[in-house]
């Protein structure tokens, strides 16, 4: 890997994010994820297309979830799907719920226990969802009542 590229990644990421990505050690997944986030989000942030705060939130959520995966369960087997998920997430960063869903997909793709259940269509579906769609899906999957929080009366 180009040392200048890694230096750019290091300079771009806030210290707190670097710590979450790379602690306790600079494993392949942490380095790979930081470089991937940098590559995909650097220019959109630089030109004001994306908000740095929203990107940092996605990075922090993803880092936190990946850090909870035991080292022996971490994998880069489907690194292309991880890249697709990160790339597709840039279209949905304005929604807290969608950022959470993308962080889950990315982390589950890096986990040997879940990697077989994550399909390429998942990030595509999420990138085409509106925030209220994500809310609806979340309510269905958690078994909560949907009617309580909707702003419109459809049920």
């Amino acid at each position: 890997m180009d040392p200048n590229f890694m230096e750019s990644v290091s300079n771009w990421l806030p210290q707190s994010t670097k710590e979450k990505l790379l602690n306790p050690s600079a494993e392949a997944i942490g380095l790979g994820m930081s470089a991937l986030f940098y590559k995909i989000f650097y220019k959109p942030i630089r030109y004001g297309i994306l908000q740095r705060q929203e990107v940092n939130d996605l990075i922090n959520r993803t880092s936190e979830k990946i850090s909870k995966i035991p080292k022996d369960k971490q994998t880069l087997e489907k690194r292309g799907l991880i890249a697709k998920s990160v790339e597709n997430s840039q279209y949905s960063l304005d929604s807290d719920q969608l950022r959470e869903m993308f962080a889950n997909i990315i982390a589950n793709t890096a986990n040997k226990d879940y990697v077989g259940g994550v399909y390429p269509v998942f990030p595509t579906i999420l990138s085409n969802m509106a925030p209220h769609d994500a809310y609806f899906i979340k309510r269905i999957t958690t078994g909560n009542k949907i009617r309580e929080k909707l702003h419109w009366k459809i049920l």
Side-chain angles (χ1 to χ4, degrees):
M1 192 174 281
D2 180 15
N4 293 329
F5 179 71
M6 288 312 296
E7 184 178 341
S8 298
V9 170
S10 180
N11 292 338
W12 179 71
L13 291 171
Q15 186 62 31
S16 61
T17 302
K18 285 190 279 192
E19 289 171 4
K20 286 183 180 182
L21 280 171
L22 301 175
N23 282 344
S25 63
E27 295 289 328
I29 288 186
L31 287 172
M33 293 299 285
S34 60
L36 181 64
F37 279 110
Y38 172 79
K39 180 173 177 30
I40 291 173
F41 293 119
Y42 174 71
K43 285 187 180 179
I45 288 174
R46 182 175 174 205
Y47 296 116
I49 298 168
L50 296 176
Q51 297 294 317
R52 181 180 289 271
Q53 178 183 356
E54 292 169 346
V55 173
N56 286 341
D57 183 49
L58 176 65
I59 291 171
N60 290 336
R61 288 174 191 236
T62 304
S63 302
E64 183 179 318
K65 292 175 187 315
I66 289 175
S67 70
K68 291 179 181 177
I69 302 170
K71 296 286 184 217
D72 62 323
K73 299 287 186 177
Q74 293 181 4
T75 182
L76 286 175
E77 177 183 327
K78 291 197 173 183
R79 63 181 63 84
L81 184 53
I82 292 172
K84 176 183 171 56
S85 299
V86 173
E87 188 172 2
N88 283 359
S89 72
Q90 66 184 318
Y91 307 111
S92 304
L93 289 178
D94 58 337
S95 165
D96 186 59
Q97 188 66 48
L98 286 169
R99 284 193 304 269
E100 180 68 19
M101 291 175 156
F102 272 108
N104 284 332
I105 285 179
I106 295 164
N108 287 342
T109 307
N111 187 333
K112 289 180 183 177
D113 291 340
Y114 300 107
V115 72
V118 181
Y119 300 101
V121 72
F122 292 173
T124 303
I125 291 169
L126 282 183
S127 69
N128 288 302
M129 291 174 70
H132 65 274
D133 298 328
Y135 176 80
F136 183 77
I137 296 294
K138 181 71 173 175
R139 291 303 225 182
I140 287 174
T141 59
T142 59
N144 294 329
K145 294 179 183 175
I146 297 168
R147 181 178 289 188
E148 294 174 354
K149 299 276 182 172
L150 289 179
H151 298 289
W152 58 93
K153 305 228 185 246
I154 59 171
L155 300 176

